[in-house]
Amino acid sequence: MKDQKNNNYRKFMLLWAGELVSSIGGGLTSFGLGIYIFQQTGNASGMALMTLLAFLPGLLLKVPAGVLADRYDRRLLMMIGDGCSGLGVLFILLCMMSGEARLWQIYLGVIISSVFSALLEPAFTATITDLLTKEQYSRANGLVSMAGSARYLFSPVLAGFILAFSNIRVILIIDICTFFLTILSAAVVRKNIAVKPVERKPFLKSMKEGWDVITEKKGMFLLILLSSAVTMFMGVFQVLGEPFVLSFADSKTLGIIESVAASGMLFTGVILGVRGIRKNFTKMLCIGLFISGIGMAFFGVFDHPVLIAMFGFVFFAALPVANNSLDYLARTNIPEEFQGRVWGFIGFISQLGYVVSYALSGITADAVGSLTGGGVGKGAALTITASGIGLAVIAIAISRVKRIADLEKSSAVELTGIPKTE
Protein backbone atom coordinates (compact mmCIF):
# COMPACT_ATOMS: atom_id res chain seq x y z
CA MET A 1 0.00 0.00 0.00
CA LYS A 2 2.83 2.36 0.91
CA ASP A 3 4.60 1.59 -2.40
CA GLN A 4 1.39 2.40 -4.29
CA LYS A 5 1.06 5.74 -2.46
CA ASN A 6 4.67 6.63 -3.27
CA ASN A 7 4.24 5.57 -6.89
CA ASN A 8 1.12 7.72 -7.25
CA TYR A 9 2.90 10.66 -5.68
CA ARG A 10 5.68 10.30 -8.25
CA LYS A 11 3.06 10.39 -11.00
CA PHE A 12 1.63 13.54 -9.49
CA MET A 13 5.12 15.07 -9.38
CA LEU A 14 5.56 14.35 -13.09
CA LEU A 15 2.27 16.07 -13.89
CA TRP A 16 3.22 18.93 -11.59
CA ALA A 17 6.55 19.36 -13.37
CA GLY A 18 4.70 19.66 -16.67
CA GLU A 19 2.37 22.28 -15.24
CA LEU A 20 5.35 24.15 -13.80
CA VAL A 21 6.91 24.42 -17.25
CA SER A 22 3.55 25.41 -18.73
CA SER A 23 3.10 28.09 -16.07
CA ILE A 24 6.49 29.62 -16.83
CA GLY A 25 5.78 29.63 -20.57
CA GLY A 26 2.34 31.14 -20.09
CA GLY A 27 3.79 33.77 -17.78
CA LEU A 28 6.34 34.76 -20.41
CA THR A 29 3.61 35.30 -22.99
CA SER A 30 1.31 37.13 -20.58
CA PHE A 31 4.08 39.50 -19.45
CA GLY A 32 5.36 40.09 -22.96
CA LEU A 33 1.94 40.74 -24.48
CA GLY A 34 1.03 43.02 -21.57
CA ILE A 35 4.10 45.16 -22.21
CA TYR A 36 3.42 45.10 -25.95
CA ILE A 37 -0.18 46.30 -25.56
CA PHE A 38 0.71 48.97 -22.99
CA GLN A 39 3.34 50.37 -25.34
CA GLN A 40 0.81 50.37 -28.17
CA THR A 41 -2.08 51.99 -26.25
CA GLY A 42 -0.54 53.79 -23.25
CA ASN A 43 -3.49 52.97 -20.97
CA ALA A 44 -4.59 50.27 -18.52
CA SER A 45 -7.82 49.46 -20.36
CA GLY A 46 -6.08 47.70 -23.23
CA MET A 47 -4.17 45.41 -20.86
CA ALA A 48 -7.31 44.76 -18.81
CA LEU A 49 -9.25 43.81 -21.94
CA MET A 50 -6.58 41.31 -22.95
CA THR A 51 -6.69 39.77 -19.48
CA LEU A 52 -10.48 39.57 -19.63
CA LEU A 53 -10.55 37.96 -23.08
CA ALA A 54 -7.87 35.47 -22.05
CA PHE A 55 -9.93 34.50 -19.03
CA LEU A 56 -13.63 34.74 -19.88
CA PRO A 57 -13.98 31.89 -22.45
CA GLY A 58 -12.26 29.46 -20.12
CA LEU A 59 -14.51 30.53 -17.27
CA LEU A 60 -17.70 30.03 -19.29
CA LEU A 61 -16.55 26.55 -20.31
CA LYS A 62 -15.45 25.39 -16.85
CA VAL A 63 -18.74 23.67 -15.98
CA PRO A 64 -19.08 21.61 -19.19
CA ALA A 65 -15.34 20.87 -19.00
CA GLY A 66 -15.89 19.56 -15.47
CA VAL A 67 -18.61 17.21 -16.71
CA LEU A 68 -16.26 15.94 -19.42
CA ALA A 69 -13.60 15.31 -16.75
CA ASP A 70 -16.00 12.91 -15.02
CA ARG A 71 -17.02 11.16 -18.25
CA TYR A 72 -13.74 10.72 -20.13
CA ASP A 73 -10.05 10.13 -19.60
CA ARG A 74 -8.86 13.10 -17.54
CA ARG A 75 -5.24 12.81 -18.64
CA LEU A 76 -6.29 12.79 -22.31
CA LEU A 77 -8.34 15.94 -21.72
CA MET A 78 -5.27 17.56 -20.19
CA MET A 79 -3.23 16.69 -23.27
CA ILE A 80 -5.87 18.06 -25.64
CA GLY A 81 -6.33 21.23 -23.58
CA ASP A 82 -2.61 21.96 -23.27
CA GLY A 83 -1.79 21.09 -26.87
CA CYS A 84 -4.61 22.95 -28.58
CA SER A 85 -4.25 26.04 -26.40
CA GLY A 86 -0.87 26.50 -28.07
CA LEU A 87 -2.71 27.22 -31.32
CA GLY A 88 -3.70 30.64 -29.99
CA VAL A 89 -0.09 31.54 -29.22
CA LEU A 90 0.96 30.23 -32.63
CA PHE A 91 -1.67 32.44 -34.31
CA ILE A 92 -0.31 35.56 -32.57
CA LEU A 93 3.24 34.59 -33.55
CA LEU A 94 2.29 34.17 -37.20
CA CYS A 95 0.60 37.57 -37.19
CA MET A 96 3.75 39.16 -35.76
CA MET A 97 5.97 37.39 -38.28
CA SER A 98 4.22 39.34 -41.04
CA GLY A 99 4.54 42.65 -39.20
CA GLU A 100 3.16 44.18 -36.03
CA ALA A 101 0.17 42.29 -34.70
CA ARG A 102 -3.00 44.30 -34.38
CA LEU A 103 -4.85 44.36 -31.09
CA TRP A 104 -7.78 42.34 -32.42
CA GLN A 105 -5.37 39.63 -33.56
CA ILE A 106 -3.81 39.40 -30.11
CA TYR A 107 -7.23 39.30 -28.52
CA LEU A 108 -8.37 36.53 -30.87
CA GLY A 109 -5.25 34.51 -30.10
CA VAL A 110 -5.73 34.66 -26.34
CA ILE A 111 -9.40 33.70 -26.77
CA ILE A 112 -8.38 30.58 -28.71
CA SER A 113 -5.92 29.61 -25.97
CA SER A 114 -8.50 30.20 -23.27
CA VAL A 115 -11.13 28.01 -24.95
CA PHE A 116 -8.89 24.94 -25.01
CA SER A 117 -7.28 25.64 -21.63
CA ALA A 118 -10.75 25.23 -20.10
CA LEU A 119 -10.35 21.46 -20.51
CA LEU A 120 -7.22 21.46 -18.38
CA GLU A 121 -8.12 22.80 -14.95
CA PRO A 122 -11.02 20.50 -13.89
CA ALA A 123 -9.20 17.45 -15.28
CA PHE A 124 -5.95 18.32 -13.49
CA THR A 125 -7.69 19.13 -10.20
CA ALA A 126 -9.71 15.88 -10.29
CA THR A 127 -6.57 13.91 -11.18
CA ILE A 128 -5.00 15.02 -7.90
CA THR A 129 -7.88 13.31 -6.10
CA ASP A 130 -7.42 10.21 -8.31
CA LEU A 131 -3.76 9.89 -7.40
CA LEU A 132 -3.37 11.05 -3.82
CA THR A 133 -4.66 10.36 -0.34
CA LYS A 134 -6.32 12.93 1.90
CA GLU A 135 -3.09 13.27 3.91
CA GLN A 136 -1.22 14.24 0.73
CA TYR A 137 -3.68 16.91 -0.46
CA SER A 138 -2.17 19.78 1.50
CA ARG A 139 1.41 19.05 0.38
CA ALA A 140 0.27 18.65 -3.21
CA ASN A 141 -1.61 21.93 -3.14
CA GLY A 142 1.49 23.64 -1.80
CA LEU A 143 3.40 22.41 -4.84
CA VAL A 144 0.59 23.50 -7.15
CA SER A 145 0.85 26.97 -5.59
CA MET A 146 4.57 26.92 -6.32
CA ALA A 147 3.87 26.12 -9.98
CA GLY A 148 1.39 28.97 -10.10
CA SER A 149 3.96 31.34 -8.59
CA ALA A 150 6.47 30.47 -11.32
CA ARG A 151 4.63 32.66 -13.85
CA TYR A 152 5.20 35.64 -11.52
CA LEU A 153 8.60 34.66 -10.12
CA PHE A 154 10.63 33.43 -13.09
CA SER A 155 8.65 34.60 -16.11
CA PRO A 156 8.92 38.39 -15.57
CA VAL A 157 12.71 38.26 -15.15
CA LEU A 158 13.15 35.95 -18.13
CA ALA A 159 10.76 38.00 -20.25
CA GLY A 160 12.42 41.27 -19.26
CA PHE A 161 15.84 39.83 -20.13
CA ILE A 162 14.60 38.52 -23.48
CA LEU A 163 12.90 41.81 -24.37
CA ALA A 164 16.10 43.70 -23.54
CA PHE A 165 18.03 41.79 -26.21
CA SER A 166 15.32 40.54 -28.56
CA ASN A 167 11.55 40.87 -29.05
CA ILE A 168 8.16 39.42 -28.21
CA ARG A 169 8.42 36.81 -30.99
CA VAL A 170 11.16 34.91 -29.14
CA ILE A 171 8.95 34.77 -26.06
CA LEU A 172 6.07 33.30 -28.05
CA ILE A 173 8.33 30.66 -29.59
CA ILE A 174 9.57 29.60 -26.15
CA ASP A 175 6.00 29.34 -24.87
CA ILE A 176 4.98 27.16 -27.82
CA CYS A 177 7.89 24.80 -27.07
CA THR A 178 6.72 24.33 -23.47
CA PHE A 179 3.45 22.81 -24.66
CA PHE A 180 5.28 19.74 -25.96
CA LEU A 181 6.81 19.06 -22.54
CA THR A 182 3.50 19.32 -20.69
CA ILE A 183 1.77 17.03 -23.18
CA LEU A 184 4.57 14.48 -22.78
CA SER A 185 4.28 14.41 -18.98
CA ALA A 186 0.51 13.87 -19.16
CA ALA A 187 0.99 11.11 -21.73
CA VAL A 188 3.46 9.23 -19.51
CA VAL A 189 1.14 9.41 -16.51
CA ARG A 190 -1.87 8.43 -18.61
CA LYS A 191 -0.10 5.28 -19.78
CA ASN A 192 0.16 4.03 -16.18
CA ILE A 193 -3.30 4.94 -14.89
CA ALA A 194 -6.35 2.85 -15.70
CA VAL A 195 -9.37 4.82 -16.84
CA LYS A 196 -12.27 4.22 -14.47
CA PRO A 197 -15.50 3.15 -16.18
CA VAL A 198 -18.31 5.65 -15.71
CA GLU A 199 -22.01 5.57 -16.36
CA ARG A 200 -22.85 7.70 -19.40
CA LYS A 201 -25.70 9.79 -18.06
CA PRO A 202 -27.32 12.62 -20.03
CA PHE A 203 -24.99 15.62 -20.09
CA LEU A 204 -27.39 18.03 -18.38
CA LYS A 205 -28.25 15.45 -15.71
CA SER A 206 -24.56 15.00 -14.93
CA MET A 207 -24.18 18.76 -14.70
CA LYS A 208 -27.14 19.02 -12.32
CA GLU A 209 -25.64 16.35 -10.06
CA GLY A 210 -22.52 18.47 -9.67
CA TRP A 211 -24.64 21.48 -8.79
CA ASP A 212 -26.58 19.46 -6.20
CA VAL A 213 -23.34 18.41 -4.46
CA ILE A 214 -22.40 22.08 -4.03
CA THR A 215 -25.77 23.36 -2.85
CA GLU A 216 -26.61 20.55 -0.43
CA LYS A 217 -23.96 21.88 1.95
CA LYS A 218 -24.77 25.48 2.72
CA GLY A 219 -21.35 26.10 4.20
CA MET A 220 -19.56 25.12 1.01
CA PHE A 221 -21.92 27.15 -1.16
CA LEU A 222 -21.37 30.22 1.04
CA LEU A 223 -17.62 29.68 0.91
CA ILE A 224 -17.69 29.54 -2.89
CA LEU A 225 -19.81 32.70 -3.11
CA LEU A 226 -17.47 34.59 -0.78
CA SER A 227 -14.48 33.35 -2.75
CA SER A 228 -15.98 35.10 -5.78
CA ALA A 229 -15.64 38.38 -3.89
CA VAL A 230 -12.07 37.41 -3.03
CA THR A 231 -11.18 36.86 -6.70
CA MET A 232 -12.75 40.19 -7.61
CA PHE A 233 -10.32 42.06 -5.33
CA MET A 234 -7.37 39.89 -6.35
CA GLY A 235 -8.16 40.45 -10.02
CA VAL A 236 -7.75 44.19 -9.51
CA PHE A 237 -4.21 43.56 -8.30
CA GLN A 238 -3.44 41.31 -11.28
CA VAL A 239 -4.65 43.84 -13.82
CA LEU A 240 -3.42 47.10 -12.29
CA GLY A 241 -0.14 46.05 -10.67
CA GLU A 242 1.79 46.29 -13.93
CA PRO A 243 0.43 49.63 -15.24
CA PHE A 244 0.95 51.10 -11.74
CA VAL A 245 4.65 50.18 -11.76
CA LEU A 246 5.09 51.08 -15.44
CA SER A 247 3.81 54.59 -14.67
CA PHE A 248 7.13 55.39 -12.95
CA ALA A 249 9.50 52.55 -13.95
CA ASP A 250 10.63 50.60 -17.02
CA SER A 251 9.87 46.99 -17.96
CA LYS A 252 13.13 45.72 -16.45
CA THR A 253 12.26 47.19 -13.05
CA LEU A 254 8.76 45.77 -13.36
CA GLY A 255 10.17 42.30 -14.01
CA ILE A 256 12.40 42.50 -10.93
CA ILE A 257 9.56 43.74 -8.71
CA GLU A 258 7.21 40.98 -9.91
CA SER A 259 9.84 38.31 -9.35
CA VAL A 260 10.74 39.50 -5.84
CA ALA A 261 7.06 39.77 -4.92
CA ALA A 262 6.20 36.36 -6.34
CA SER A 263 9.09 34.77 -4.43
CA GLY A 264 6.78 35.08 -1.43
CA MET A 265 4.49 32.49 -3.01
CA LEU A 266 7.49 30.26 -3.72
CA PHE A 267 8.73 30.61 -0.14
CA THR A 268 5.39 29.61 1.39
CA GLY A 269 4.73 27.02 -1.30
CA VAL A 270 7.97 25.20 -0.45
CA ILE A 271 7.02 25.09 3.23
CA LEU A 272 3.54 23.80 2.46
CA GLY A 273 4.94 21.32 -0.06
CA VAL A 274 7.08 19.79 2.69
CA ARG A 275 4.83 20.05 5.72
CA GLY A 276 1.37 21.02 4.56
CA ILE A 277 -1.37 22.34 6.83
CA ARG A 278 -2.60 19.71 9.29
CA LYS A 279 -5.51 21.40 11.09
CA ASN A 280 -7.47 24.63 11.61
CA PHE A 281 -8.04 25.05 7.87
CA THR A 282 -10.82 27.63 8.26
CA LYS A 283 -8.70 29.74 10.58
CA MET A 284 -5.69 29.52 8.28
CA LEU A 285 -7.88 30.49 5.31
CA CYS A 286 -8.96 33.69 7.05
CA ILE A 287 -5.44 34.55 8.22
CA GLY A 288 -4.04 34.03 4.73
CA LEU A 289 -6.67 36.22 3.09
CA PHE A 290 -6.34 38.97 5.71
CA ILE A 291 -2.55 39.20 5.38
CA SER A 292 -2.82 39.18 1.57
CA GLY A 293 -5.30 42.05 1.80
CA ILE A 294 -2.95 44.11 3.97
CA GLY A 295 -0.06 43.46 1.59
CA MET A 296 -2.18 44.55 -1.38
CA ALA A 297 -3.42 47.69 0.35
CA PHE A 298 0.11 48.92 1.11
CA PHE A 299 1.37 47.89 -2.34
CA GLY A 300 -0.58 50.81 -3.82
CA VAL A 301 0.48 53.36 -1.19
CA PHE A 302 4.12 53.80 -2.23
CA ASP A 303 5.89 54.44 -5.53
CA HIS A 304 9.27 53.17 -4.32
CA PRO A 305 10.35 49.88 -5.99
CA VAL A 306 11.78 48.35 -2.80
CA LEU A 307 8.66 49.03 -0.72
CA ILE A 308 6.39 47.85 -3.53
CA ALA A 309 8.35 44.62 -3.87
CA MET A 310 8.23 44.09 -0.10
CA PHE A 311 4.46 44.45 0.21
CA GLY A 312 4.02 42.42 -2.96
CA PHE A 313 6.03 39.68 -1.24
CA VAL A 314 3.63 39.80 1.72
CA PHE A 315 0.63 39.53 -0.59
CA PHE A 316 1.98 36.52 -2.46
CA ALA A 317 3.41 34.78 0.62
CA ALA A 318 0.00 34.59 2.27
CA LEU A 319 -1.87 33.37 -0.83
CA PRO A 320 -0.75 29.71 -0.73
CA VAL A 321 -1.99 29.42 2.85
CA ALA A 322 -5.44 30.64 1.80
CA ASN A 323 -5.50 28.55 -1.39
CA ASN A 324 -4.32 25.44 0.41
CA SER A 325 -6.97 25.75 3.10
CA LEU A 326 -9.75 26.50 0.62
CA ASP A 327 -8.76 23.56 -1.56
CA TYR A 328 -8.80 21.16 1.41
CA LEU A 329 -12.18 22.33 2.70
CA ALA A 330 -13.74 21.89 -0.74
CA ARG A 331 -11.95 18.72 -1.87
CA THR A 332 -12.69 16.73 1.28
CA ASN A 333 -16.40 17.53 1.01
CA ILE A 334 -16.74 16.32 -2.60
CA PRO A 335 -17.42 12.63 -3.37
CA GLU A 336 -14.75 11.21 -5.69
CA GLU A 337 -17.15 10.43 -8.55
CA PHE A 338 -18.25 14.09 -8.71
CA GLN A 339 -14.81 15.73 -8.54
CA GLY A 340 -14.70 16.98 -12.13
CA ARG A 341 -18.22 18.39 -12.21
CA VAL A 342 -18.01 20.03 -8.82
CA TRP A 343 -14.62 21.62 -9.48
CA GLY A 344 -16.02 22.94 -12.73
CA PHE A 345 -18.81 24.70 -10.82
CA ILE A 346 -16.43 25.87 -8.09
CA GLY A 347 -14.09 27.36 -10.69
CA PHE A 348 -16.96 29.04 -12.52
CA ILE A 349 -18.66 30.60 -9.47
CA SER A 350 -15.55 31.56 -7.53
CA GLN A 351 -13.87 33.13 -10.54
CA LEU A 352 -16.81 35.26 -11.59
CA GLY A 353 -15.16 37.92 -9.47
CA TYR A 354 -12.27 38.00 -11.92
CA VAL A 355 -14.68 38.88 -14.73
CA VAL A 356 -15.88 41.91 -12.79
CA SER A 357 -12.37 43.08 -11.96
CA TYR A 358 -10.97 42.43 -15.43
CA ALA A 359 -13.87 44.29 -17.02
CA LEU A 360 -13.94 47.29 -14.67
CA SER A 361 -10.54 47.73 -13.02
CA GLY A 362 -8.81 49.27 -16.04
CA ILE A 363 -11.72 51.64 -16.66
CA THR A 364 -11.87 52.48 -12.95
CA ALA A 365 -8.14 53.20 -12.74
CA ASP A 366 -8.25 55.45 -15.82
CA ALA A 367 -11.29 57.30 -14.43
CA VAL A 368 -9.81 57.75 -10.95
CA GLY A 369 -6.53 58.89 -12.47
CA SER A 370 -8.38 61.46 -14.57
CA LEU A 371 -10.39 62.75 -11.59
CA THR A 372 -7.36 63.08 -9.32
CA GLY A 373 -5.12 64.43 -12.05
CA GLY A 374 -2.51 61.78 -11.25
CA GLY A 375 -2.90 59.77 -14.44
CA VAL A 376 -3.23 56.03 -14.81
CA GLY A 377 -0.52 55.33 -12.21
CA LYS A 378 -2.32 57.19 -9.41
CA GLY A 379 -5.67 55.72 -10.42
CA ALA A 380 -4.25 52.19 -10.37
CA ALA A 381 -2.61 52.77 -6.98
CA LEU A 382 -5.81 54.00 -5.31
CA THR A 383 -7.88 51.19 -6.82
CA ILE A 384 -5.38 48.55 -5.63
CA THR A 385 -5.36 49.96 -2.10
CA ALA A 386 -9.15 50.00 -1.88
CA SER A 387 -9.28 46.40 -3.12
CA GLY A 388 -6.74 45.28 -0.53
CA ILE A 389 -8.91 46.71 2.23
CA GLY A 390 -11.91 44.92 0.74
CA LEU A 391 -10.03 41.60 0.74
CA ALA A 392 -9.16 41.99 4.43
CA VAL A 393 -12.82 42.70 5.22
CA ILE A 394 -13.89 39.51 3.38
CA ALA A 395 -11.41 37.50 5.46
CA ILE A 396 -13.02 38.80 8.65
CA ALA A 397 -16.48 38.00 7.29
CA ILE A 398 -15.53 34.37 6.51
CA SER A 399 -14.20 33.88 10.05
CA ARG A 400 -17.66 34.71 11.43
CA VAL A 401 -19.64 32.19 9.34
CA LYS A 402 -20.20 29.05 11.44
CA ARG A 403 -21.37 26.92 8.50
CA ILE A 404 -18.02 27.41 6.80
CA ALA A 405 -16.17 26.40 9.95
CA ASP A 406 -18.33 23.25 10.12
CA LEU A 407 -16.98 22.08 6.74
CA GLU A 408 -13.75 20.99 8.41
CA LYS A 409 -15.67 18.86 10.92
CA SER A 410 -17.95 17.29 8.31
CA SER A 411 -15.00 16.29 6.14
CA ALA A 412 -13.44 14.45 9.08
CA VAL A 413 -16.66 12.51 9.69
CA GLU A 414 -17.35 11.62 6.06
CA LEU A 415 -13.85 10.60 5.06
CA THR A 416 -12.93 8.60 8.16
CA GLY A 417 -16.31 7.61 9.55
CA ILE A 418 -15.11 8.88 12.92
CA PRO A 419 -16.35 12.19 14.31
CA LYS A 420 -13.62 14.73 14.84
CA THR A 421 -12.76 15.26 18.50
CA GLU A 422 -11.80 18.58 19.90
Side-chain angles (χ1 to χ4, degrees), residues 21-300:
V21 172
S22 178
S23 178
I24 294 174
L28 287 173
T29 295
S30 178
F31 184 91
L33 289 179
I35 297 288
Y36 185 87
I37 291 176
F38 189 78
Q39 291 174 342
Q40 294 286 322
T41 64
N43 58 55
S45 300
M47 296 175 67
L49 180 58
M50 184 197 73
T51 305
L52 174 63
L53 294 177
F55 174 79
L56 187 57
L59 175 67
L60 296 176
L61 294 172
K62 277 186 186 294
V63 175
V67 176
L68 292 176
D70 283 338
R71 295 164 69 95
Y72 300 102
D73 186 340
R74 290 166 178 169
R75 271 60 64 184
L76 180 59
L77 291 175
M78 291 173 60
M79 294 168 62
I80 295 173
D82 251 334
C84 293
S85 64
L87 295 176
V89 182
L90 179 61
F91 172 76
I92 297 174
L93 175 62
L94 293 175
C95 292
M96 289 187 173
M97 295 291 283
S98 59
E100 287 192 357
R102 299 179 181 178
L103 288 181
W104 73 265
Q105 293 173 325
I106 295 176
Y107 293 153
L108 178 58
V110 296
I111 289 173
I112 294 172
S113 290
S114 179
V115 167
F116 288 105
S117 293
L119 292 173
L120 177 63
E121 186 177 334
F124 178 61
T125 305
T127 294
I128 294 176
T129 305
D130 290 340
L131 293 174
L132 305 181
T133 64
K134 184 186 73 168
E135 292 75 17
Q136 294 171 326
Y137 289 163
S138 184
R139 290 171 56 199
N141 194 258
L143 292 172
V144 172
S145 295
M146 286 174 56
S149 71
R151 68 184 295 116
Y152 303 106
L153 178 61
F154 302 114
S155 299
V157 171
L158 292 174
F161 178 82
I162 293 171
L163 290 175
F165 296 95
S166 187
N167 54 49
I168 183 67
R169 299 174 189 173
V170 175
I171 288 178
L172 298 179
I173 292 172
I174 293 174
D175 188 18
I176 292 171
C177 291
T178 65
F179 289 111
F180 294 101
L181 296 176
T182 55
I183 293 172
L184 179 62
S185 66
V188 172
V189 172
R190 177 175 181 257
K191 185 178 180 181
N192 296 289
I193 297 181
V195 179
K196 298 179 181 179
V198 295
E199 181 183 354
R200 292 287 192 270
K201 299 178 182 178
F203 196 87
L204 292 179
K205 182 178 180 181
S206 296
M207 190 180 297
K208 183 179 183 302
E209 287 177 345
W211 175 257
D212 291 340
V213 171
I214 290 178
T215 55
E216 71 180 1
K217 288 191 175 182
K218 301 301 181 184
M220 187 157 73
F221 191 58
L222 284 171
L223 180 61
I224 296 169
L225 289 178
L226 287 172
S227 66
S228 183
V230 169
T231 58
M232 180 182 69
F233 293 126
M234 290 175 58
V236 171
F237 184 83
Q238 291 180 7
V239 172
L240 298 182
E242 290 185 356
F244 166 53
V245 176
L246 287 173
S247 67
F248 62 86
D250 57 19
S251 59
K252 181 179 179 180
T253 302
L254 172 62
I256 295 173
I257 289 175
E258 284 198 16
S259 295
V260 172
S263 67
M265 186 179 287
L266 177 65
F267 173 78
T268 310
V270 169
I271 296 174
L272 293 177
V274 174
R275 297 183 57 85
I277 299 175
R278 301 169 190 265
K279 58 181 180 179
N280 298 324
F281 288 91
T282 307
K283 181 179 179 181
M284 297 303 293
L285 169 64
C286 297
I287 292 174
L289 290 177
F290 184 82
I291 294 176
S292 286
I294 297 302
M296 188 197 303
F298 281 101
F299 182 93

Side-chain angles (χ1 to χ4, degrees), residues 291-353:
I291 294 176
S292 286
I294 297 302
M296 188 197 303
F298 281 101
F299 182 93
V301 171
F302 305 98
D303 59 0
H304 192 285
V306 174
L307 293 176
I308 289 175
M310 181 180 71
F311 287 112
F313 181 94
V314 172
F315 170 79
F316 280 108
L319 276 185
V321 176
N323 291 337
N324 195 303
S325 302
L326 178 60
D327 179 273
Y328 181 91
L329 291 172
R331 190 182 299 278
T332 54
N333 281 277
I334 304 172
E336 184 175 344
E337 64 270 23
F338 297 107
Q339 286 282 329
R341 281 164 282 182
V342 174
W343 280 110
F345 273 111
I346 290 175
F348 176 75
I349 298 172
S350 65
Q351 294 180 14
L352 282 173

